[in-house]
């Protein structure tokens, strides 16, 4: 069942049934001011850091689920309704929520009164604009009251949810004719405030929640709305809100527009005050003036749209597969950009208070947006590398506002260091710019500890080389990519975090997955070293690669697939010898990509096993059979009920590894088959089962052993976005940035017979026409001349290249 449809021309998903199986959300913002917006107008806003600088409040884990947002109440002769259906749930005569790239448009109608609500965060400004237009489609004049409202969060979102004994005393606002300023803690250590502004004079306001709602009322029956009034309350403590009311008289055929703006301002220490207790509003006035008219809003909206069109022009495909095209051209790239902004911090499944930017997560995310924003990617790589320690180990996360490593979680995730090589090598391939290797980059953000970035990459490899276990395989530490394989944890205490519980390091628990990573990225680093003329060092690294490769062939192969790990007692994990968890997907993908045991046919066998044992209707499950019982020696993985999360769901993140691995062994049909199984556009028709947004990848889809087989969870902030983007563009379409030029090595399934690709690479526009006759023969011609090989060497003197590939 569908709840809407794609509008590819407008780059939108149009939700036409507000009763979606879960909130279907969107993100706005790019320059520090960010918003989450659901199809019911739910969500919240923050500046840069969803934990430390939360602007509006969201009540998590709520009943019903999606409460807290920017709400508009329209009282039309006693019929009260909201353009996004919630909170009142008044049945609408018509409803559309068009989620586009960085904006949403709600179009709803009730009793011949139409509401169009345009919501977005403009480029380069720290505010969210909500432009609301009411049109009277009836034959009589309507007298309508309109209330708009947001609830302020007292900045630190964790403290806001917990420290009521203090927080219920500190709320402060300032109110003038058209604006409510939220200035809690501005008198003491904060240099920032937020404001809620409307472009026309209101007929009343409220800034105190209890007064607006009535103490025993809810968002469904606000006293002010029911009584068509405002109480002009000025909050002092308790819960500050911002609400403006308008009495609108709208003639038949007439439209009236109000522009609501929620903004954020920072002032320098000596510019904080206009006079005692009166905040300096200069910057707020500037922002207010910029969005005072419909023309200004339209212009800013068009600028945003144009920016996206130009960004997405970097990679475009037109093939005979509409669903593939819409994911590659629009939604997959868009999701990658959202992971650039959010990492794993703020979604409807990540509270925004728990996690900052992950080391491994952000490195992998880079693979998906590097082609779109190479400059920002370079900065990001430096930020990430700066939380590495001199021995090569790393903090697992950092807070975006402070950019300091997160001490609560610490380090010890032994895959982390290697992802830095994945990201940096991809940066060089995309840009051809080796100078990043010389960028002075501190260790653990310590001033004076700066070393060229290349030393960080060396340290990464060295950490693995110096931390091997009894089989010569890399030690796993607290966990590797699979956060829940906590082989050194042994947790018996309820509620204890499996990731940080113990510092115990058996010196024995080893990861075959990290071995695959080391081989793949060790070779990559050696290639870089050869390019910059460090041949001896490259050879030394290759010798280390060989040693781990040999250990993997000897101890990491189970006969039909790669073993997953050795536990703290040197017992195998992910082997036919185990009762449950006999096969895990991760090493099958990575060791095949790394071509470990290629001459022995390992990759082919491993991927056959993946198809036979792990593949379900929605993709490849992470392991099989699911753990039926809690195994203290394995950690969190066995704590999940069967079929969920790391215990046997389709963990979508590693499915693209299987797609890529299949192209490595030349099985193009199977590669596309895996791609298709959990591609959201392909699951649109079964949205009632899949449940999350049909335009966005989710982290997991419940596996065959789960009660709710096929149900997805944790949409948006997942490495699935970047890896799928990588798999679709670099493995399936085969458009691969390489050190010396652009390689074109498509692995299209038979069903895609033709693909026309435009790729802008290092400033050159490549028009690539691929015809797939599935002949097994590859031929490339450039500007009508046949070319040997698959790489188009980079030539800075040209601006456009026409390439024809036949397969
Ligand atoms: C989840 C993992 C996640 C980890 C992060 C675990 O509970 O299952 O998917 O990576 O928490 O801390
Ligand atoms: C989600 C985490 O963000 C990611 O770092 C991890 O690799 C996966 N879970 C698998 O556990």
């Amino acid at each position: 069942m569908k709840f809407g449809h794609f509008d590819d021309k407008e780059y939108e998903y149009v939700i036409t049934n507000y009763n979606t199986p879960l909130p279907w959300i969107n993100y706005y913002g790019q320059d520090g001011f960010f918003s989450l917006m659901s199809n019911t107008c739910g969500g919240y806003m923050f500046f840069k850091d969803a934990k430390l600088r939360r602007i509006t409040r969201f009540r998590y884990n709520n009943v019903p689920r999606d409460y807290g947002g920017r709400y508009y109440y329209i009282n039309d002769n006693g019929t009260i309704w909201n353009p996004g259906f919630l909170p009142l749930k008044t049945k609408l005569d018509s409803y559309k929520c068009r989620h586009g790239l960085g904006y949403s448009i709600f179009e709803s109608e009730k009793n011949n009164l139409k509401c169009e609500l345009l919501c977005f965060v403009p480029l380069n400004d720290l505010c969210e604009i909500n432009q609301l237009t009411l049109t009277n489609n009836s034959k009589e004049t309507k007298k309508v009251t309109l209330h708009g409202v947001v609830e302020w969060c007292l900045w630190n979102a964790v403290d806001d949810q917990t420290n009521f004994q203090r927080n219920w005393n500190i709320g402060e606002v300032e109110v003038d004719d058209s604006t409510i300023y939220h200035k809690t803690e501005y008198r003491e250590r904060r240099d920032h405030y937020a404001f809620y502004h409307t472009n026309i004079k209101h007929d009343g306001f409220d800034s105190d929640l209890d007064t607006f709602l009535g103490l025993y009322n809810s968002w469904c029956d606000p006293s002010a709305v029911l009584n068509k009034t405002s109480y002009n309350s000025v909050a002092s403590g308790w819960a500050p809100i911002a609400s403006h009311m308008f009495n609108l008289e709208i003639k038949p055929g007439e439209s009236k527009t109000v522009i609501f703006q929620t903004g954020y301002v920072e002032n320098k220490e000596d510019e904080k005050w206009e006079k005692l207790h009166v905040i300096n509003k200069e910057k707020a006035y500037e922002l207010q003036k910029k969005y005072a008219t419909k023309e200004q809003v339209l212009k800013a909206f068009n600028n945003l749209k144009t920016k996206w069109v130009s960004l997405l022009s970097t990679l475009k495909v037109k093939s005979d597969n509409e669903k593939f095209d819409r994911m590659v051209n629009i939604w997959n790239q868009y999701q990658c950009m959202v992971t650039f902004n959010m990492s794993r911090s703020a979604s409807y499944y990540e509270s925004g208070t728990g996690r900052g930017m992950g080391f491994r997560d952000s490195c992998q995310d880079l693979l998906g947006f590097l082609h779109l924003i190479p400059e920002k990617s370079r900065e990001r790589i430096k930020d990430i590398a700066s939380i590495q320690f001199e021995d090569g180990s790393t903090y697992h996360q950092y807070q975006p506002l402070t950019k300091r490593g997160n001490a609560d979680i610490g380090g010890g995730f032994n895959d982390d260091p290697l992802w830095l090589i994945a990201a940096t090598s991809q940066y060089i391939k995309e840009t051809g710019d080796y100078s990043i290797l010389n960028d002075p980059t501190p260790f653990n953000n310590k001033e004076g500890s700066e070393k060229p970035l290349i030393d960080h990459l060396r340290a990464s490899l060295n950490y693995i080389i110096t931390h091997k276990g009894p089989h010569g395989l890399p030690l796993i530490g607290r966990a590797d990519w699979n956060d829940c394989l906590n082989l050194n944890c042994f947790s018996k205490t309820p509620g204890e975090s499996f990731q940080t519980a113990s510092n115990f390091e058996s010196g024995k628990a080893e990861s075959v997955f990290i071995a695959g990573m080391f081989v793949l990225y060790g070779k990559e680093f050696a290639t870089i070293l050869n390019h910059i003329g460090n041949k001896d060092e490259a050879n030394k690294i290759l010798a280390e690669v060989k040693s781990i490769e040999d250990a993997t062939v000897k101890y990491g192969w189970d006969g039909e697939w790669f073993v997953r790990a050795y536990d703290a007692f040197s017992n195998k994990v992910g082997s036919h010898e185990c009762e449950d968890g006999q096969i895990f997907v991760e090493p099958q993908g990575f060791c095949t990509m790394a071509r470990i045991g290629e001459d022995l046919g390992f990759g082919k066998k491993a991927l056959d096993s993946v198809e036979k044992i792990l593949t379900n209707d929605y993709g490849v499950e992470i392991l099989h059979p699911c753990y039926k019982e809690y195994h203290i020696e394995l950690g969190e993985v066995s704590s999940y009920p069967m079929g969920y999360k790391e215990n046997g769901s389709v963990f979508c993140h590693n499915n693209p590894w299987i797609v890529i691995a299949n192209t490595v062994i030349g099985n193009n049909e199977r590669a596309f088959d895996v791609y298709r199984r959990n591609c959201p556009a392909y699951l649109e028709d079964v949205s009632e089962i899949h449940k999350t947004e049909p335009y966005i990848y989710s982290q997991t889809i419940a596996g065959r052993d789960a009660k709710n087989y096929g149900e997805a969870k944790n949409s948006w902030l997942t490495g699935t976005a970047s890896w799928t983007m990588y798999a679709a563009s670099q493995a399936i379409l085969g458009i691969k940035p390489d050190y010396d030029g652009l390689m074109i090595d498509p692995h299209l399934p038979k069903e895609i017979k033709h693909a026309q690709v435009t790729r802008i690479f290092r400033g050159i526009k490549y028009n690539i026409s691929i015809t797939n006759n599935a002949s097994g023969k590859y031929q490339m011609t450039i500007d009508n001349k046949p070319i040997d090989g698959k790489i188009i060497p980079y030539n800075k003197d040209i601006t456009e290249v026409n390439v024809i590939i036949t397969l």
Side-chain angles (χ1 to χ4, degrees):
M1 179 185 171
K2 298 210 268 185
F3 294 79
H5 57 265
F6 286 95
D7 181 341
D8 293 341
K9 228 176 96 241
E10 293 297 324
Y11 293 7
E12 287 171 353
Y13 191 82
V14 186
I15 303 166
T16 48
N17 178 349
Y18 40 72
N19 270 311
T20 49
L22 283 169
W24 284 1
I25 74 161
N26 197 8
Y27 285 86
Y28 316 148
Q30 43 280 316
D31 306 302
F33 192 106
F34 294 107
S35 305
L36 283 72
M37 173 68 103
S38 75
N39 60 307
T40 65
C41 279
Y44 55 91
M45 310 170 205
F46 61 93
F47 173 72
K48 278 193 183 167
D49 193 313
K51 177 178 174 182
L52 302 176
R53 220 36 82 80
R54 188 73 68 97
I55 296 172
T56 58
R57 195 174 264 166
F58 187 72
R59 291 169 184 272
Y60 315 92
N61 203 357
N62 214 333
V63 180
R65 195 186 284 273
D66 183 20
Y67 262 48
R70 19 350 224 161
Y71 290 138
Y72 297 98
Y73 294 90
I74 298 160
N75 190 335
D76 173 14
N77 200 19
T79 302
I80 312 175
W81 56 284
N82 311 105
F85 180 56
L86 288 186
L88 279 175
K89 297 210 285 182
T90 305
K91 198 170 170 304
L92 302 175
D93 296 339
S94 72
Y95 159 94
K96 270 186 195 155
C97 164
R98 316 181 70 100
H99 278 324
L101 308 187
Y103 69 90
S104 310
I105 300 171
F106 292 83
E107 295 165 358
S108 19
E109 189 159 343
K110 180 78 188 168
N111 296 347
N112 297 317
L113 184 63
K114 188 177 169 210
C115 174
E116 185 177 292
L117 176 63
L118 164 67
C119 308
F120 66 104
V121 170
L123 298 175
N124 307 316
D125 276 327
L126 302 182
C127 62
E128 180 182 300
I129 301 295
N130 289 188
Q131 177 176 279
L132 189 146
T133 301
L134 289 173
T135 305
N136 183 354
N137 288 333
S138 79
K139 298 209 160 62
E140 281 100 48
T141 296
K142 283 183 183 272
K143 285 189 177 166
V144 174
T145 55
L146 166 69
H147 285 83
V149 58
V150 298
E151 185 178 0
W152 302 116
C153 178
L154 305 184
W155 303 116
N156 180 325
V158 175
D159 196 67
D160 182 69
Q161 294 292 316
T162 50
N163 195 7
F164 307 118
Q165 58 81 26
R166 170 176 159 87
N167 292 338
W168 284 342
N169 296 281
I170 63 175
E172 284 189 282
V173 296
E174 236 173 272
V175 179
D176 70 19
D177 279 357
S178 55
T179 314
I180 294 173
Y181 296 87
H182 175 228
K183 59 171 187 180
T184 301
E185 292 190 342
Y186 188 76
R187 276 184 307 102
E188 34 130 320
R189 291 156 297 175
R190 293 191 180 274
D191 61 0
H192 41 272
Y193 61 83
F195 67 83
Y196 183 78
H197 169 81
T198 36
N199 69 326
I200 57 173
K201 168 122 186 48
H202 57 67
D203 297 301
F205 70 90
D206 272 297
S207 68
D208 176 63
L209 180 68
D210 291 340
T211 311
F212 175 76
L213 294 181
L215 186 58
Y216 293 113
N217 291 10
S218 73
W219 292 104
C220 296
D221 51 1
S223 165
V225 175
L226 296 183
N227 294 314
K228 296 185 100 173
T229 190
S230 277
Y231 303 108
N232 297 346
S233 57
V234 178
S236 177
W238 298 113
I241 61 161
S243 168
H244 285 175
M245 179 196 68
F246 300 88
N247 292 317
L248 303 171
E249 191 172 303
I250 317 174
K251 299 202 185 77
E254 197 192 6
S255 296
K256 290 223 161 137
T257 297
V258 186
I259 301 166
F260 294 80
Q261 182 186 32
T262 308
Y264 171 87
V265 168
E266 281 180 3
N267 278 335
K268 291 202 189 99
E269 185 60 35
D270 55 353
E271 292 171 4
K272 276 174 70 169
W273 302 101
E274 187 188 308
K275 58 180 185 221
L276 185 67
H277 295 169
V278 178
I279 60 180
N280 176 350
K281 305 187 182 69
E282 282 311 312
K283 286 188 185 166
Y285 293 151
E286 263 171 49
L287 267 181
Q288 292 162 10
K289 271 191 244 138
K290 273 182 94 169
Y291 302 97
T293 66
K294 283 202 279 188
E295 292 68 34
Q296 286 171 310
V297 170
L298 184 65
K299 192 162 166 243
F301 178 54
N302 284 337
N303 287 345
L304 177 70
K305 286 187 103 172
T306 311
K307 186 202 141 191
W308 272 105
V309 169
S310 110
L311 203 58
L312 297 184
S313 66
T314 312
L315 172 64
K316 272 208 148 330
V317 55
K318 172 98 189 69
S319 77
D320 38 20
N321 185 315
E322 189 189 35
K323 293 190 170 94
F324 180 71
D325 293 359
R326 79 161 57 108
M327 289 314 298
V328 171
N329 291 337
I330 308 170
W331 295 102
N332 200 169
Q333 298 199 67
Y334 181 55
Q335 188 176 357
C336 288
M337 284 302 290
V338 171
T339 64
F340 165 69
N341 289 324
M342 300 290 135
S343 188
R344 303 295 171 271
S345 71
S347 77
Y348 266 39
Y349 309 88
E350 303 276 7
S351 67
T353 63
R355 298 210 253 172
M357 316 286 291
F359 192 102
R360 80 155 80 89
D361 292 333
S362 296
C363 282
Q364 291 172 84
D365 291 348
L366 277 151
L367 306 178
F369 55 71
L370 245 160
H371 64 294
L372 297 172
I373 44 167
E375 271 314 304
K376 287 186 177 174
S377 303
R378 184 180 186 140
E379 251 174 71
R380 175 62 57 82
I381 290 174
K382 274 191 69 173
D383 288 347
I384 299 170
S386 303
I387 60 162
Q388 187 175 33
F389 297 101
E390 274 181 74
D391 70 353
S393 65
T394 76
Y395 272 116
H396 196 46
Q397 291 171 14
Y398 67 95
Q399 279 306 127
L401 199 66
T402 61
K403 297 195 175 168
R404 293 288 182 274
N406 202 330
D408 301 343
I409 290 131
F413 298 81
N414 284 359
D415 62 317
D416 272 335
L418 292 173
W419 293 114
L420 187 61
I421 303 180
T424 310
S425 58
Q426 196 57 38
Y427 172 86
I428 299 174
K429 288 180 181 176
E430 180 68 40
T431 60
D433 179 4
Y434 288 84
S435 72
I436 189 174
L437 295 172
N438 304 326
D439 277 358
T441 313
F443 287 100
N444 189 15
N445 276 300
K446 266 203 222 96
E447 231 177 276
S449 69
E450 292 81 3
K451 291 263 172 65
L453 183 73
I454 193 169
D455 285 351
H456 285 256
L457 307 190
R458 289 188 173 111
S460 289
L461 287 174
N462 201 41
Y463 188 79
I464 311 299
I465 294 166
T466 53
H467 290 78
K468 290 199 239 171
H471 301 94
L473 294 165
L475 290 175
I476 196 167
R478 291 182 188 282
D480 61 21
W481 173 89
N482 189 329
D483 265 327
C484 298
L485 214 47
N486 315 114
L487 306 181
N488 293 309
C489 176
F490 306 99
S491 178
K492 272 190 176 166
T493 312
E496 189 174 54
S497 153
F498 289 93
Q499 275 89 41
T500 56
S502 109
N503 283 316
F504 175 68
E505 173 59 80
S506 58
K508 284 195 181 159
E510 298 166 294
S511 162
V512 175
F513 171 75
I514 301 183
M517 279 188 86
F518 185 88
V519 172
L520 188 66
Y521 296 127
K523 285 190 213 161
E524 196 72 66
F525 188 56
T527 308
I528 294 179
L529 289 170
N530 277 324
H531 268 83
I532 58 173
N534 291 8
K535 298 236 164 354
D536 290 348
E537 194 185 351
N539 289 337
K540 276 192 204 132
I541 300 283
L542 288 175
E544 297 293 347
V545 165
K546 173 92 180 30
S547 137
I548 289 191
E549 198 166 3
D550 289 349
T552 310
V553 168
K554 200 155 168 205
Y555 300 110
W557 182 248
D558 197 55
E560 298 294 323
W561 56 79
F562 290 96
V563 176
R564 179 60 177 88
Y566 284 87
D567 70 16
F569 310 97
S570 285
N571 292 323
K572 284 183 190 162
V573 180
S575 153
H576 71 283
E577 295 165 22
C578 310
E579 192 189 328
D580 290 325
Q582 293 179 345
I583 170 170
F584 280 66
V585 71
E586 305 96 312
Q588 321 315 328
F590 249 79
C591 294
T592 306
M593 286 194 258
R595 299 180 186 275
I596 297 177
E598 191 173 43
D599 48 342
L600 302 168
F602 282 9
K604 198 182 162 310
K605 271 196 200 156
L607 296 182
D608 284 348
S609 301
V610 166
E611 178 169 74
K612 211 163 78 200
I613 306 171
L614 293 177
T615 305
N616 72 24
D617 298 324
Y618 306 101
V620 177
E621 291 171 357
I622 192 169
L623 60 82
H624 189 83
C626 302
Y627 292 103
K628 296 183 201 63
E629 282 164 26
Y630 176 53
H631 288 255
I632 193 166
E633 76 286 7
L634 300 180
E636 187 171 357
V637 64
S638 58
S639 76
Y640 281 111
M642 298 203 298
Y644 288 107
K645 291 280 270 183
E646 280 86 344
N647 191 14
S649 74
V650 173
F651 214 98
C652 300
H653 185 147
N654 45 41
N655 276 234
W657 300 346
I658 298 301
V659 174
I660 301 164
N662 270 303
T663 65
V664 167
I665 65 161
N667 197 336
N668 300 351
E669 295 309 312
R670 196 154 67 190
F672 196 74
D673 177 67
V674 174
Y675 172 84
R676 194 176 39 75
R677 279 176 199 259
N678 52 32
C679 178
Y682 277 93
L683 296 172
E684 190 193 13
D685 288 335
V686 290
S687 286
E688 78 284 9
I689 300 172
H690 181 248
K691 292 196 174 167
T692 53
E693 296 89 337
Y695 40 95
I696 288 300
Y697 282 94
S698 295
Q699 183 194 52
T700 64
I701 303 177
R704 285 165 293 184
D705 283 333
K707 184 156 169 298
N708 301 319
Y709 173 45
E711 179 183 69
K713 288 203 183 99
N714 297 12
S715 55
W716 285 95
L717 305 184
T718 157
T720 315
S722 59
W723 272 107
T724 311
M725 193 61 222
Y726 186 96
S729 63
Q730 302 209 23
I732 296 174
L733 286 172
I735 315 288
K736 288 189 200 178
D738 209 336
Y739 297 101
D740 298 325
L742 191 63
M743 181 191 274
I744 306 183
D745 185 18
H747 288 272
L748 293 174
K750 289 200 191 95
E751 67 174 89
I752 300 187
K753 297 197 169 47
H754 187 255
Q756 180 71 38
V757 186
T758 319
R759 174 70 153 92
I760 298 171
F761 172 69
R762 301 187 196 167
I764 303 171
K765 186 170 175 206
Y766 294 80
N767 306 308
I768 306 158
S769 159
I770 309 170
T771 301
N772 180 20
N773 302 321
S775 67
K777 284 193 216 107
Y778 176 101
Q779 180 61 61
M780 167 155 66
T781 61
I782 298 182
D783 296 330
N784 295 325
K785 279 188 232 75
I787 300 287
D788 284 338
K790 297 181 178 174
I791 292 198
I792 311 168
Y794 172 68
N795 176 350
K796 65 172 174 29
D797 300 326
I798 48 177
T799 51
E800 196 158 341
V801 186
N802 296 314
V803 189
I804 296 175
I805 308 275
T806 48
L807 303 166

